[in-house]
Amino acid sequence: MNWQSITFDWNQARAFLVTAEEGSLSAAARALNLTQPTLSRQVAALEETLGVTLFERVSKSLVLTEAGVELAEHVRAMGEAASRVSLSASGQSQQIEGMVTISTTDVLGIYLLPEILRDLRIKAPGIEIRIRCTNSLSDLRRREADIAIRHVEPDHPDLYARKLYDASAKVYGARSYLSRFANSQSIKDAGAHDFIGFDDNPQLVGHLRAMGLPVTEANIKLSSPSGAVAWEYVRRGLGLGIMADEIAACCPELVPAFDDLTEVYFPVWLVTHRELHTSRRIRLVFDHLVEHLRHKQPRQPHEK
């Protein structure tokens, strides 16, 4: 090994890595029990020593440059090696701690995650979970979240994705709403019903028509960009709505609206950044979500 080629200070490298992991100088300073100016000087000194820019400031956040992304992978390996040395010397197991942000839809956050997170708090009490509810795709590469639960497969090479299952969905209505109609409802009766819309009503109509329902945008009398609000309106009997069966199963006041409607399927993906997937705390949360979400996997059409 060429020892003279190692010209940087480990404390500076550690300051850089923690800043990259925590997402801000202030959070990194708290994690290392340093002042923010001290930490900032260490990161700046590392940039000067290596002759590269490691962070760019986007709005109020720090985002890794291409050089920073590459360096973080190597420094993270150094950090894990240093941790193993410390643990070996002390004879103690590492306590996994820190923040992990999960991006998901508000409906999943309300109906599926509470039980899963309760078990996670018992398994890893040192991990702090922040739930970022959004119906749009979080930009994991900009560190808006560490892990995302998505219904589309990401196409960026920096992201690691694992398909968990294909969720089934139907059109549901509250018993109180459907009781206003005398007979069992068929898909041909859909045009007589009110529907609750989400963020993109033309897209929703397209999905419903693809399922065989003769509806138009005129059938959507009420909508909300919040999936949780729209679903609550369905529960309160204000109209029909399409929803995953695993969510509808949490609401006994709801039943499938049409007897002859074939259920549809959509994928459930768990996504993280390739670098973050090597982080102990994020890997633990990722694996926990895989295990518990898969337990909710519905029976597939070919299964008996």
Side-chain angles (χ1 to χ4, degrees):
M1 179 179 290
N2 183 5
W3 298 106
Q4 294 182 355
S5 66
I6 304 175
T7 58
F8 64 88
D9 184 287
W10 163 245
N11 286 326
Q12 296 172 2
R14 184 181 66 162
F16 157 71
L17 178 61
V18 177
T19 301
E21 293 279 3
E22 298 295 331
S24 70
L25 289 169
S26 58
R30 289 193 297 270
L32 291 175
N33 197 25
L34 297 174
T35 65
Q36 185 170 332
T38 297
L39 188 77
S40 180
R41 284 194 297 270
Q42 290 182 345
V43 174
L46 180 63
E47 290 180 316
E48 182 176 357
T49 299
L50 299 178
V52 296
T53 299
L54 300 175
F55 291 103
E56 292 179 346
R57 186 170 293 279
V58 177
S59 185
K60 296 183 180 180
S61 302
L62 292 177
V63 178
L64 287 170
T65 63
E66 184 176 349
V69 168
E70 182 177 357
L71 181 64
E73 181 178 353
H74 300 300
V75 177
R76 185 173 292 109
M78 293 172 56
E80 292 177 353
S83 177
R84 289 193 294 271
V85 170
S86 298
L87 293 176
S88 177
S90 64
Q92 298 176 356
S93 298
Q94 182 184 23
Q95 182 178 2
I96 302 180
E97 298 179 335
M99 170 80 75
V100 177
T101 301
I102 301 172
S103 172
T104 185
T105 65
D106 45 12
V107 172
L108 287 176
I110 291 171
Y111 289 98
L112 291 191
L113 287 188
E115 180 182 345
I116 295 173
L117 296 179
R118 184 184 299 113
D119 292 339
L120 178 62
R121 291 177 64 186
I122 296 173
K123 177 189 294 186
I127 292 181
E128 179 183 352
I129 298 295
R130 175 175 295 168
I131 302 298
R132 185 177 186 272
C133 287
T134 173
N135 293 321
S136 61
L137 298 181
S138 293
D139 190 346
L140 298 180
R141 291 181 295 125
R142 289 186 176 274
R143 300 303 195 268
E144 291 181 1
D146 301 312
I147 299 171
I149 305 173
R150 293 178 170 176
H151 297 311
V152 295
E153 181 180 7
D155 57 3
H156 196 283
D158 287 345
L159 299 180
Y160 171 87
R162 183 167 178 178
K163 184 178 178 181
L164 301 183
Y165 57 89
D166 287 312
S168 57
K170 302 186 191 74
V171 174
Y172 285 90
R175 298 177 192 274
S176 59
Y177 172 87
L178 292 171
S179 66
R180 291 151 45 187
F181 299 85
N183 302 316
S184 297
Q185 295 297 291
S186 169
I187 56 175
K188 63 180 176 58
D189 302 315
H193 287 277
D194 293 335
F195 284 78
I196 306 299
F198 292 97
D199 198 22
D200 189 334
N201 288 340
Q203 185 181 58
L204 173 61
V205 169
H207 289 318
L208 293 172
R209 293 185 68 87
M211 296 168 67
L213 300 173
V215 298
T216 68
E217 287 186 58
N219 291 99
I220 301 178
K221 304 297 186 183
L222 185 62
S223 63
S224 171
S226 166
V229 170
W231 185 235
E232 184 65 18
Y233 290 162
V234 175
R235 294 183 62 190
R236 298 293 186 95
L238 298 179
L240 305 180
I242 185 170
M243 183 53 66
D245 293 335
E246 57 192 347
I247 301 296
C250 301
C251 308
E253 71 275 23
L254 298 174
V255 294
F258 303 107
D259 297 334
D260 54 350
L261 178 64
T262 302
E263 58 191 359
V264 295
Y265 290 85
F266 59 92
V268 177
W269 291 86
L270 203 59
V271 188
T272 187
H273 199 283
R274 286 192 178 275
E275 295 171 34
L276 296 180
H277 195 51
T278 64
S279 164
R280 279 187 175 89
R281 69 177 187 275
I282 295 174
R283 180 58 185 263
L284 185 150
V285 175
F286 189 95
D287 290 345
H288 183 83
L289 289 171
V290 168
E291 176 186 358
H292 286 73
L293 285 172
R294 277 193 160 179
H295 284 169
K296 297 180 178 296
Q297 179 176 356
R299 189 176 66 184
Q300 301 301 298
H302 62 275
E303 296 176 342
K304 302 296 183 181

